[in-house]
Amino acid sequence: MPHVTADDGAQIFYKDWGSGGTPVLLSHGWPLNADAWEAAALFLAEHGHRAIAHDRRGHGRSSQTWNGNEMDTYADDLACLIEHLDLTDLTLVGHSTGGGEIAHYVGRHGSARVAKLVLISAVPPLMLEAADNPGGLPIAVFDGIRAGEASDRSQLYRDLADGPFFGHNRNTDISQGVRDAFWLQSMACGHRAAYECIAAFSATDFRPDLAKIDVPTLVIHGDDDQIVPFEVGGARSAELIDGATLLVYENGAHGLPDTDRDRLHADLLAFIDS
């Protein structure tokens, strides 16, 4: 299996599908891995693009490091992968935590290799409530996730998959198989990595990163997202990114790559090819 070695020796797993066409790098949400992007990667590769997806450190088939489970290192690992594959004219696509990862990559490493950006149900600009972010979510929300992670993470992942992640608690038509895949991928994440990543996705302030984005950006968010509420995520990011295009999926849940697969693939392809 292909891996790239990060600066501290961590092994970062990646998939590299298709040939020719412009490259597209897909960054996954917490606590999943590159498998969450299989359908999108296959679709993009079949439509002439090179589709790449990695397992964030601590997740899936990448090293479960004790340190580095925070956004600076995630972004540096992404830079290592992009430079290893010498990717240019690149479209970065991030779902949820992955949206923060790709925004932070641009903030730390610039956009010289990046042509376009897509944020899907993404955590920027800042999920956590603060004095200068009064619309954010209270710390109790994330403490609750941490408590579930620490006490019985297997059940936490089942509860997320059966409830708010896919909107299954609101009668979204999502199969048992997709919910099982969420649990399986989540259990492949290292316990410490999953725990520490909760702070990374909730407390990292991405507003300085969004201010540095200088490439065409598409923001996609469901207006019934129960994990990253639309008003906290997509609506505010679209306001802060110069020239961003916002697509709102009516009644859309958080797990758009599965719940709205066909529409999302069509929107991705149209934006990448535009």
Side-chain angles (χ1 to χ4, degrees):
M1 294 193 295
H3 289 79
V4 62
T5 303
D7 292 342
D8 65 351
Q11 296 291 298
I12 307 299
F13 169 83
Y14 66 94
K15 301 180 182 183
D16 188 353
W17 291 0
S19 60
T22 54
V24 182
L25 197 155
L26 304 143
S27 179
H28 62 81
W30 173 91
L32 306 175
N33 57 54
D35 293 351
W37 282 119
E38 279 192 338
L42 182 61
F43 174 84
L44 292 170
E46 288 179 340
H47 284 77
H49 292 284
R50 181 181 177 187
I52 301 137
H54 72 303
D55 290 355
R56 186 173 303 119
R57 71 168 53 211
H59 298 62
R61 292 138 290 199
S62 292
S63 298
Q64 294 190 9
T65 59
W66 187 254
N67 298 313
N69 300 294
E70 32 69 30
M71 277 293 163
D72 285 356
T73 304
Y74 295 161
D76 293 349
D77 290 346
L78 195 62
C80 186
L81 175 60
I82 291 170
E83 290 163 14
H84 172 72
L85 298 176
D86 194 22
L87 301 174
T88 57
D89 196 25
L90 172 66
T91 297
L92 288 171
V93 180
H95 174 243
S96 194
T97 298
E101 184 177 77
I102 64 172
H104 206 51
Y105 165 80
V106 172
R108 282 174 69 82
H109 297 277
S111 60
R113 291 177 177 269
V114 181
K116 298 176 182 176
L117 220 65
V118 184
L119 303 178
I120 303 168
S121 312
V123 296
L126 173 59
M127 288 192 73
L128 184 64
E129 182 182 50
D132 64 347
N133 190 45
L137 299 173
I139 186 68
V141 171
F142 306 106
D143 286 344
I145 300 172
R146 272 186 278 267
E149 175 70 32
S151 63
D152 187 351
R153 70 189 190 114
S154 177
Q155 189 59 51
L156 170 69
Y157 302 148
R158 290 205 179 282
D159 290 343
L160 287 171
D162 290 343
F165 192 90
F166 298 113
H168 190 61
N169 55 335
R170 296 186 180 172
N171 298 318
T172 299
D173 184 18
I174 194 76
S175 73
Q176 183 67 53
V178 169
R179 287 179 279 142
D180 288 349
F182 178 97
W183 177 87
L184 183 64
Q185 290 177 42
S186 300
M187 290 304 294
C189 187
H191 186 26
R192 177 177 168 84
Y195 189 89
E196 294 293 313
C197 191
I198 297 166
F201 75 67
S202 65
T204 301
D205 186 350
F206 298 99
R207 289 174 291 188
D209 301 315
L210 301 189
K212 294 179 181 177
I213 294 175
D214 55 359
V215 296
T217 300
L218 176 63
V219 178
I220 299 175
H221 216 105
D223 64 6
D224 194 31
D225 189 328
Q226 301 171 70
I227 302 293
V228 182
F230 172 68
E231 294 78 10
V232 173
R236 295 198 62 217
S237 287
E239 292 173 358
L240 294 174
I241 300 171
D242 187 28
T245 299
L246 173 64
L247 287 181
V248 181
Y249 282 26
E250 298 79 9
N251 302 315
H254 187 67
L256 295 179
D258 289 298
T259 60
D260 294 69
R261 179 176 297 179
D262 293 342
R263 179 182 178 185
L264 182 66
H265 290 178
D267 286 337
L268 281 177
L269 189 63
F271 179 68
I272 293 165
D273 287 344
S274 65

